[in-house]
Amino acid sequence: MGTAVVIDNISKIYQNNRGVKNLSLEINDGEIFGFLGPNGAGKTTAMKIMVGLMRPDGGDVKINGFSVLSDYENAMKRVGCIIESVTPFAYLTAYENMKLRARYYAGADDARIDTCLAEAGILKYKREKVKNYSLGMKQRIGLALAMLSNPKILILDEPLNGLDVEGMVEMRNLILRLSRENKTTFFISSHLIHDIELTCDKIGLLYDGRLLSVDSTENILKNYSSLENYYLSEVEPSVNS
């Protein structure tokens, strides 16, 4: 099994002393990695650095063997992402937004657009303007846009945000299917413990900018009754220190 993502000792400290500190991680091909931590832990900062939206104070990220800092185009060639909020053009329809994005990718024709919209669960709303979409539907079009280039790696910041229960189940099933059938690698951040537990192969706990632990979901659930108990046992020493 190859390595899809290598995060090598990245740091980014803001003036308020928050951010990420000496973060190192490896994610294997086809793995679903869950980045779990409370709001403000540094998850989004780390993911912005991963996709080149922010430059670290130190360290590097390699995706498929290419440095995001020194070989950005090759590093991001097979990557799709949603970082923070999804911001398609509100005055355009879902289809029009997809068509605009498709200009950047060879082979992203109307059939591919429809496939992505269908997988995200919004094909029947493709002619509706995005301004009329709910928060959950905007998350879905964000995922459809991220999948358009048929990426091998999807980096998703809080992808379940705003989805109802049915939408969460559909999103989880889609992630599991893409991982199983297409060997797509996922790097997912969330503060929703239950969904991380049901979706991810491996879990990293981030708290106050530091990686507390990384383990497989299987190992965690062998030793703890739930991911929530594991999370609390790992985080409480940091809270009380």
Side-chain angles (χ1 to χ4, degrees):
M1 184 182 286
T3 305
V5 179
V6 176
I7 299 172
D8 184 14
N9 203 35
I10 60 170
S11 291
K12 179 71 178 181
I13 309 299
Y14 302 110
Q15 287 184 332
N16 62 7
N17 206 37
R18 291 169 78 168
V20 290
K21 299 148 191 170
N22 308 114
L23 176 65
S24 293
L25 266 177
E26 287 192 10
I27 295 95
N28 295 321
D29 289 328
E31 202 164 57
I32 306 175
F33 181 86
F35 211 25
L36 182 62
N39 293 327
K43 301 188 300 296
T44 298
T45 296
M47 295 174 90
K48 282 182 174 180
I49 293 169
M50 286 174 68
V51 299
L53 292 175
M54 182 179 285
R55 196 167 185 88
D57 298 333
D60 196 4
V61 177
K62 288 186 178 177
I63 299 180
N64 292 324
F66 299 103
S67 166
V68 170
L69 296 179
S70 61
D71 198 356
Y72 182 76
E73 193 170 326
N74 281 319
M76 295 299 294
K77 194 169 278 184
R78 300 298 306 277
V79 177
C81 64
I82 302 174
I83 305 295
E84 289 193 312
S85 58
V86 179
T87 53
F89 292 107
Y91 57 88
L92 298 179
T93 65
Y95 170 76
E96 288 165 343
N97 270 285
M98 295 288 283
K99 196 72 175 169
L100 267 179
R101 180 72 64 90
R103 295 187 302 173
Y104 295 100
Y105 307 123
D109 55 12
D110 277 14
R112 178 65 191 161
I113 288 172
D114 280 358
T115 296
C116 293
L117 289 171
E119 288 189 324
I122 53 170
L123 180 59
K124 62 184 175 182
Y125 307 113
K126 73 183 230 180
R127 301 292 179 187
E128 283 190 28
K129 290 189 176 179
V130 171
K131 69 180 181 181
N132 298 323
Y133 277 18
S134 66
L135 177 59
M137 288 172 72
K138 286 175 182 172
Q139 284 293 102
R140 289 170 184 265
I141 190 174
L143 183 64
L145 287 162
M147 293 192 299
L148 191 53
S149 64
N150 201 19
K152 292 303 293 176
I153 300 171
L154 275 166
I155 298 171
L156 307 176
D157 187 15
E158 302 280 359
L160 302 168
N161 186 37
L163 295 176
D164 56 19
V165 173
E166 185 182 3
M168 286 183 180
V169 172
E170 287 174 2
M171 187 74 80
R172 283 204 308 263
N173 289 339
L174 175 60
I175 289 167
L176 291 166
R177 184 170 61 78
L178 288 173
S179 173
R180 186 174 62 247
E181 294 178 5
N182 298 357
K183 299 295 184 283
T184 305
T185 304
F186 284 88
F187 189 104
I188 301 168
S189 81
S190 184
H191 59 274
L192 301 171
I193 289 180
H194 179 66
D195 288 290
I196 288 288
E197 181 177 325
L198 292 174
T199 310
C200 299
D201 307 313
K202 192 190 285 183
I203 294 164
L205 295 188
L206 194 70
Y207 188 85
D208 194 26
R210 297 189 183 279
L211 191 66
L212 299 184
S213 62
V214 179
D215 204 349
S216 70
T217 310
E218 185 180 7
N219 278 346
I220 291 167
L221 296 179
K222 276 180 185 173
N223 296 306
Y224 294 86
S225 60
S226 68
L227 181 56
E228 185 174 302
N229 285 340
Y230 168 72
Y231 174 86
L232 292 172
S233 74
E234 292 290 327
V235 167
E236 277 178 359
S238 298
V239 173
N240 296 326
S241 63

